[in-house]
Amino acid sequence: MTYNCLFTVLTDLDLVEDTLSQAMAATDAHDAHLDVLCLGVDCTQSGFYYAGASAIVLQETITRATEEAQEIEARAKHVLENSTLRWGSETGVAQLADVARHVAARARFSDLVVLPKPYGEERGAELEAITEAALFDGDAPTIILPEPDQFKPHPRRVMVGWNESLEALRAVRAAMPLLTQADTVHVVVIDPPTHGPSRSDPGGMLSQYLARHGVSAEIDVLSKTLPRVSDVLTRHATDMDADLLVMGAYGHSRFREAVFGGATRNMLEQATIPVLMAH
C-alpha cells in the first residue's frame, strides 16, 4: 500500500514555496503523481450583495483573484519545472463560498492531500474552507503542515490519537503507508472508558490490527491532566519527539467545533508537528 496520487491547493503567494516543497518531498518519497490547484479566491463574497454592487466592483474582485491565481501558478511552475516529478497544475478562480466545490472535485480522486495549517497569523479565511472541503466533501486523508520544512516523508516516530471512533480508524488506515515504515508507533489513549469491551485492554484491538500489518505499536494510556485533549496530545508529542500525529477529524459537527471548540479545531490551531487527519 502506498500513495500514488497526491494533491495540494495553493491560494497564498507567501505559502507557495513552503507548501509545495513539502508536497513535492512526499511525492518523491512515494514515487507518486502530484496535482496542484492554483486558486485565486475572492473573499469579498460579492455574490451576497450583487443587487447593491456595481458591475465595476464585481469585475474588479474577479480580476484581482484571477491575477493572484496567475501569479501563484507562475511561481509554482517555476519550482515544479526544475524537478523530476510527475505533476500537473490547474488554475482557477472562486468565491470563498464556492471554494469547497473546486477542492472536493479534485481531492476525492487523491490518496493524500497536503495543506498548510489553516489557522494563525496572516492565514487567509479560505484555508479553513479548503481543509474542511478536503476532509468532508473530498473524503480524502489530509496532512496539515504547521511549519516550513517540517514534514518528513518517512517519519520515524509516529503518534496515533486513539478514541475508538470511526474517524480515528479511518485516519489509521489512511496513514498505513507511513506507519509501516516508522521505527516507533505510539497509540495514545486518553482517559479510556471504564465500561465497555475494551476497558481492560484500551487500544488492544488497534494494536492487533497494526501488528497484522507489520507495525509494532506501543500503547500509551494517559490521563486528561490538562484542560483540553489537544493539550495532552501536544505535550505527549513533544515528550516523545514525534514526527507525525495521526488522528480522526471532527467527531462532532463542524458548527459545534467552530462555536465551542473541539479536539480537531484546537489541534489545527496549536499543532507544532504535521498532523494526518481523516473524517
Side-chain angles (χ1 to χ4, degrees):
M1 181 179 179
T2 187
Y3 302 121
N4 293 319
C5 303
L6 273 70
F7 172 60
T8 190
V9 185
L10 305 175
T11 59
D12 189 328
L13 204 59
D14 294 332
L15 297 176
V16 169
E17 282 85 357
D18 291 339
T19 304
L20 200 53
S21 65
Q22 297 182 82
M24 290 170 65
T27 303
D28 183 54
H30 295 278
D31 191 25
H33 185 283
L34 176 63
D35 288 311
V36 181
L37 176 61
C38 304
L39 198 60
V41 181
D42 174 15
C43 293
T44 61
Q45 296 293 285
S46 57
F48 291 110
Y49 59 89
Y50 182 85
S54 69
I56 295 176
V57 172
L58 295 174
Q59 184 59 48
E60 176 62 26
T61 60
I62 295 173
T63 300
R64 187 185 306 119
T66 302
E67 291 173 351
E68 289 175 354
Q70 292 171 345
E71 286 185 67
I72 292 170
E73 183 183 43
R75 185 170 296 186
K77 283 187 173 181
H78 176 72
V79 176
L80 290 164
E81 287 172 351
N82 292 321
S83 73
T84 58
L85 300 177
R86 300 189 301 277
W87 60 274
S89 68
E90 291 184 73
T91 306
V93 176
Q95 285 193 314
L96 183 58
D98 194 37
V99 164
R101 178 173 63 88
H102 294 268
V103 174
R106 296 157 179 83
R108 62 171 56 107
F109 295 105
S110 304
D111 298 321
L112 187 67
V113 180
V114 182
L115 297 175
K117 184 177 177 179
Y119 304 112
E121 294 184 4
E122 299 182 358
R123 296 294 165 107
E126 77 280 357
L127 295 181
E128 179 183 30
I130 289 169
T131 302
E132 293 188 352
L135 287 168
F136 283 86
D137 304 305
D139 194 25
T142 303
I143 285 187
I144 307 300
L145 306 171
E147 301 293 340
D149 300 324
Q150 196 175 35
F151 176 60
K152 298 179 180 179
H154 298 297
R156 307 267 48 104
R157 293 173 299 279
V158 180
M159 191 175 90
V160 176
W162 180 244
N163 60 0
E164 299 187 359
S165 68
L166 181 58
E167 292 81 8
L169 184 57
R170 284 175 174 166
V172 169
R173 286 172 174 160
M176 198 61 72
L178 302 176
L179 297 176
T180 54
Q181 296 177 356
D183 295 333
T184 304
V185 175
H186 287 251
V187 175
V188 179
V189 183
I190 300 174
D191 282 351
T194 55
H195 302 283
S198 62
R199 64 186 183 280
S200 61
D201 187 20
M205 290 295 290
L206 177 63
S207 179
Q208 175 181 276
Y209 173 72
L210 291 172
R212 290 173 178 173
H213 283 272
V215 179
S216 179
E218 300 179 20
I219 307 296
D220 298 341
V221 180
L222 307 178
S223 297
K224 188 183 175 185
T225 55
L226 296 172
R228 302 183 299 186
V229 169
S230 59
D231 296 331
V232 180
L233 290 174
T234 299
R235 183 178 65 180
H236 196 65
T238 301
D239 291 343
M240 63 170 284
D241 193 23
D243 299 319
L244 176 71
L245 168 62
V246 177
M247 63 180 288
Y250 294 104
H252 300 295
S253 70
R254 285 174 286 179
F255 176 77
R256 175 175 172 175
E257 293 220 6
V259 176
F260 300 107
T264 306
R265 184 181 177 90
N266 294 336
M267 185 56 68
L268 289 176
E269 290 176 341
Q270 68 186 56
T272 57
I273 63 172
V275 182
L276 189 152
M277 292 183 166
H279 177 73

